[in-house]
Structure formats: structure tokens, C-alpha cells
């Protein structure tokens, strides 16, 4: 899978060299390219922003550096991919649709995603409108709060979908049982020692009785989801029923 990131803070993504994704990069499973938006500026100050038309607080990212950078990425992709589908372009934005585990699964199946990290009060609207004529464009939000820029959101999205790309996580079974994969939160986990600071591991987990363990874990998932995330619980019940 190929990922391009356009940002004014390229070094922000240096951390992707470590951990599971770093290993996947080294093995060629995850082909990451980070682009400095300021490389597509042509003035002495490498300006990427300007005041908003119509007035108001803050600065807006200028369209020209975005157009030039995205042109280069899309032209190279068109040449390499030989007339296949253009990449998916994702702009993290608090005005986008909320990113969920379902989005992560969908992104993990894309052969090529381009992320455009906005800063300041956002990017000139014409960049989105123009890009949507050349490729599929999505605005995606991490949640109902405002970040200073898209970089942290892109990191979070890469962490979420990168580990779903086949071969990136060592044990694919560990993906099936975790929170959100089945619409429920995860059950609590324990390891040795069996007694720690006067706290015992729930006896059923030491019983060796696989069916009872599975039943206990499912009860814990349902109880935890009902208490912490009634929205998810109601959706799960609507799909699976009381039984
Ligand atoms: N940029 C600023 N806030 C954001 C959010 N909540 N999600 C994604 N990108 C953002």
C-alpha cells in the first residue's frame, strides 16, 4: 500500500519509522512518502497562508502550493498505475465524517491514499472542489473537537488502518477480538501473577474451561459496552437481539 502525506511539518511523521509500521515500511508493505507543502512555494518566505476573503479571524491556506503538490503526486500515480483508479485523497477536518473502525477497514483496502494536512483556519475551498474532479476526495474528522492541524489526525488514522493491512500485524487473530471489531468494547485482560496486591484474576480464566471463558468474556463485553457506550450497545442489540 502506498501513502503520501502533504504537510508543513514533515518531521512530524519521523515516528512512523518505529514500531510495527516501521517494520512494514522496511519490508515494503507500507510505502510512505512525506511531502513538504512549502517546497511548492516560490517566494522568499515560503508562504502557505493568507487572510480570508470576507474578513474574519485567522489565516487560510493558499490554493497554489496545494495544487502544485497534488498535481505532482497525482501525475506520478497516473503514470505508475497505468490508467488505473486515482488514489483516494483524504483531508482531515473537524467538518468531515467521523473516522471509525469501519473507515479504518475501508482505508486498509485502498492501494493508495494521499493525506492533505491543513493548518490554520483551513484550506481554500477550491482545492477540495478541484481535487474532487481528479480523484475521490473525503473530509474525515477524528472526533467532535478541534485540533491545531491535521497531522495528529493523520497519525491516528495511519495507526488504525496500517495495522489492518495484511502482513503488518504479526498475529491476525489478535485483530478479531479487539474493541470495535464486533461492534462491542473489548473484555478485560489479565496475565501472571494470578494474585497481585491482594487482587485475584477472575477464577473462570484459570479454569481451563474454554466455553465458560468465552461466555464470561462475552458477558464482560456486553456489560462494559452497555455502561460506557450505550450508543454502541443499542446498535449491537438492534443487530443481534437480546439473545
Ligand atoms: N483538524 C482539526 N481538527 C480535526 C479533527 N477533529 N479531526 C480531523 N482533523 C482535524
Amino acid at each position: 500500500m502506498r501513502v503520501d502525506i502533504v504537510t508543513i511539518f514533515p518531521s512530524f511523521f519521523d515516528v512512523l519509522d518505529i514500531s510495527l509500521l516501521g517494520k512494514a515500511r522496511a519490508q515494503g508493505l507500507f510505502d510512505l512518502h512525506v511531502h513538504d507543502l512549502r517546497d511548492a512555494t516560490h517566494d522568499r518566505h515560503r508562504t502557505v497562508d493568507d487572510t480570508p476573503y470576507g474578513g474574519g479571524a485567522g489565516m487560510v491556506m493558499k490554493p497554489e502550493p496545494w495544487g502544485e503538490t497534488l498535481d505532482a503526486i497525482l501525475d506520478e500515480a497516473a503514470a505508475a498505475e497505468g490508467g488505473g483508479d486515482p488514489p483516494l485523497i483524504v483531508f482531515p477536518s473537524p467538518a468531515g465524517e467521523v473516522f471509525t473502525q469501519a473507515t479504518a477497514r475501508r482505508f486498509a483496502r485502498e492501494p493508495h491514499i494521499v493525506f492533505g494536512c491543513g493548518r490554520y483556519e483551513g484550506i481554500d475551498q477550491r482545492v477540495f472542489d478541484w481535487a474532487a474532479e481528479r480523484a475521490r476526495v473525503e473530509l474525515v474528522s477524528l472526533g467532535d473537537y478541534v485540533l491545531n492541524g491535521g497531522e495528529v489526525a493523520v497519525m491516528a488514522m495511519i495507526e488504525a488502518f496500517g495495522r489492518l493491512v495484511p502482513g503488518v500485524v504479526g498475529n491476525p487473530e489478535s485483530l478479531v477480538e479487539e474493541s470495535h471489531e464486533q461492534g462491542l468494547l473489548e473484555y478485560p485482560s489479565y496475565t501472571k501473577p494470578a494474585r497481585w496486591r491482594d487482587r485475584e484474576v477472575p477464577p473462570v480464566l484459570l479454569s481451563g474451561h474454554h466455553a465458560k471463558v468465552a461466555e464470561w468474556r462475552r458477558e464482560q463485553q456486553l456489560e462494559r459496552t452497555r455502561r460506557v457506550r450505550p450508543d454502541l450497545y443499542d446498535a449491537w442489540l438492534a443487530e443481534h437481539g437480546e439473545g
Side-chain angles (χ1 to χ4, degrees):
M1 165 175 208
R2 172 163 174 157
V3 169
D4 288 82
I5 302 172
V6 183
T7 172
I8 57 168
F9 296 121
S11 58
F12 193 96
F13 296 95
D14 289 352
V15 288
L16 288 173
D17 278 335
I18 54 180
S19 85
L20 281 175
L21 279 173
K23 229 167 94 189
R25 282 184 79 181
Q27 291 168 348
L29 291 169
F30 192 71
D31 184 19
L32 180 71
H33 299 254
V34 181
H35 309 261
D36 187 345
L37 184 71
R38 291 192 199 277
D39 288 347
T41 58
H42 303 285
D43 63 315
R44 204 155 54 88
H45 301 291
R46 306 181 53 153
T47 311
V48 292
D49 62 329
D50 208 331
T51 53
Y53 275 121
M59 301 290 270
V60 176
M61 293 191 107
K62 294 162 63 60
E64 303 96 317
W66 282 102
E68 192 174 318
T69 308
L70 292 173
D71 270 344
I73 295 170
L74 295 178
D75 288 349
E76 189 196 325
E81 287 154 22
D85 285 341
L88 173 65
I89 306 181
V90 176
F91 292 102
S93 163
E97 282 188 26
V98 174
F99 184 84
T100 66
Q101 190 68 18
T103 324
R105 282 193 290 267
R106 187 159 60 75
F107 283 6
R109 290 195 300 268
E110 289 284 341
H112 187 179
I113 304 182
V114 179
F115 288 102
C117 301
R119 283 261 147 188
Y120 314 112
E121 297 304 306
I123 303 172
D124 188 303
Q125 177 63 34
R126 290 168 294 181
V127 173
F128 308 119
D129 301 342
W130 162 83
E133 287 171 14
R134 280 200 70 175
R136 291 166 296 143
V137 171
E138 293 186 27
L139 267 58
V140 180
S141 171
L142 219 52
D144 294 340
Y145 42 82
V146 178
L147 305 167
N148 272 330
E151 282 79 6
V152 165
V154 168
M155 278 306 275
M157 288 188 246
I158 290 177
E159 279 270 326
F161 75 76
R163 54 199 292 286
L164 305 180
V165 173
V168 172
V169 168
N171 176 10
E173 270 175 39
S174 70
L175 297 175
V176 178
E177 296 209 340
E178 62 194 8
S179 289
H180 299 294
E181 269 307 324
Q182 299 152 345
L184 294 172
L185 302 183
E186 201 166 43
Y187 51 76
S189 300
Y190 299 84
T191 186
K192 296 170 202 64
R195 183 182 179 82
W196 177 74
R197 298 190 177 176
D198 287 340
R199 286 152 202 270
E200 309 270 3
V201 169
V204 63
L205 298 180
L206 309 177
S207 69
H209 195 302
H210 294 304
K212 287 223 167 88
V213 169
E215 188 185 337
W216 180 84
R217 285 178 167 166
R218 177 44 61 114
E219 283 166 12
Q220 292 288 315
Q221 281 192 287
L222 288 167
E223 204 290 308
R224 191 182 246 189
T225 310
R226 187 184 57 73
R227 183 165 39 85
V228 180
R229 292 291 303 275
D231 56 327
L232 294 182
Y233 184 74
D234 288 347
W236 188 89
L237 271 192
E239 195 173 323
H240 297 85
E242 301 281 339

